[in-house]
Amino acid sequence: MKTTIQFITTVICSISIISCKSQSVGLVADGAELNQISNKYSFTEGPASDKNGNVYFTDQPNDKIIKWNEADNTLSIFKEPAGRANGLYFDHNGNLLAAADDKNELWRINSNGIVDTLITNFEGKKLNGPNDIWVDLQGGIYFTDPYYQRPYWERTTAEIEEKNVYYISPDLKKITVAATDLVQPNGIIGTPDGKTLYVADIGDQKTYSYTIQNNGTLTNRTLFTDMGSDGMTIDNKGNIYLTGEGVTIFNPKGEKIHHIPINEEWTANVTFGGKNQNILFITAKGSVYTLKMNVHGVRYND
């Protein structure tokens, strides 16, 4: 009997291990290697893909937004100066939204680089410093607003004590607090069906999920994992990608299923780009990297 039990246990454990392995190994394309596109920057952040698969990212210390052209793997400056932009995201009309950290604003930038400032304050007080952005199905805008003291600011304290997540209505006429009770909210991403929003509280080393209501309000705050993140993205399997020490991938249940090591002191952000949305684009310190995946992004699904 003891031998039979040991055999069954071994088989069950083996099945479990194979299942986990197949889930993680299947994420990255066979034979794919991490490719460093460039290491000439100071601190890269905020990658966002356009409909053609090109990825825009920021080099905040050098006040630039750079474009990676997917077709020929080249880099070019899209905008300089760039409002000390941090996080980026494209709206449904192809405009680039930027968390313009210089004056704590939210920008909308058209294809010609012309800026329309959407937000300059909240209830008469200067925002802490918009950081990362996500746009819902209706065109409403969520953004995180932590406080990181910048050397180029004249102020040394926050005018708004709370570090919140805000929501701008689709008509851009109303801004409300969407999520509170966070230490330092940072990375943010939503599911393609528009029903769930993930927010990383890097200051408390937690990531939460929220249910998105039709009017943009958030309910049902639930702990997703005991890990914070600088930036984040999601794939077509519903897996969530968190950053910091490389890229750590969690399945929709909040279980860690894979880790992509990056040989940098810090990995700031990640998104999917490329014509087929199967290129994982990673910003880490002064570098940017790509990695071909078997899974793909969900932003521009037909």
Side-chain angles (χ1 to χ4, degrees), residues 8-46:
I8 293 171
T9 303
T10 301
V11 170
I12 291 172
C13 289
S14 297
I15 291 171
S16 176
I17 291 169
I18 291 169
S19 175
C20 289
K21 275 189 175 182
S22 62
Q23 198 171 16
S24 63
V25 171
L27 295 173
V28 180
D30 293 343
E33 295 183 359
L34 194 66
N35 181 29
Q36 185 184 65
I37 302 300
S38 176
N39 62 354
K40 67 179 183 179
Y41 304 108
S42 294
F43 191 87
T44 55
E45 249 285 13

Side-chain angles (χ1 to χ4, degrees), residues 104-172:
N104 316 108
E105 298 170 333
L106 195 70
W107 285 6
R108 180 174 60 191
I109 310 171
N110 70 15
S111 59
N112 295 317
I114 298 172
V115 173
D116 181 14
T117 302
L118 300 181
I119 296 293
T120 58
N121 66 81
F122 177 69
E123 296 181 345
K125 294 182 179 180
K126 187 183 290 293
L127 292 163
N128 291 327
N131 193 279
D132 277 321
I133 305 165
W134 183 72
V135 178
D136 69 14
L137 299 183
Q138 291 73 39
I141 304 167
Y142 293 92
F143 68 90
T144 55
D145 190 44
Y147 187 90
Y148 297 109
Q149 184 64 47
R150 306 298 191 188
Y152 44 81
W153 287 350
E154 292 184 2
R155 64 169 173 158
T156 56
T157 57
E159 293 184 17
I160 301 174
E161 184 177 348
E162 298 82 10
K163 283 74 174 178
N164 299 320
V165 176
Y166 293 91
Y167 181 69
I168 305 173
S169 60
D171 61 8
L172 306 180

Side-chain angles (χ1 to χ4, degrees), residues 241-262:
Y241 295 60
L242 304 185
T243 62
E245 294 182 3
V247 179
T248 305
I249 307 172
F250 295 82
N251 67 20
K253 296 180 180 180
E255 300 165 339
K256 179 181 174 180
I257 58 172
H258 194 59
H259 180 258
I260 301 170
I262 309 293

Side-chain angles (χ1 to χ4, degrees), residues 77-116:
I77 295 174
F78 170 69
K79 189 167 185 62
E80 180 187 15
R84 300 280 185 177
N86 192 75
L88 305 173
Y89 204 84
F90 279 91
D91 69 14
H92 298 319
N93 297 315
N95 299 304
L96 184 62
L97 302 176
D101 194 71
D102 187 21
K103 296 181 180 178
N104 316 108
E105 298 170 333
L106 195 70
W107 285 6
R108 180 174 60 191
I109 310 171
N110 70 15
S111 59
N112 295 317
I114 298 172
V115 173
D116 181 14

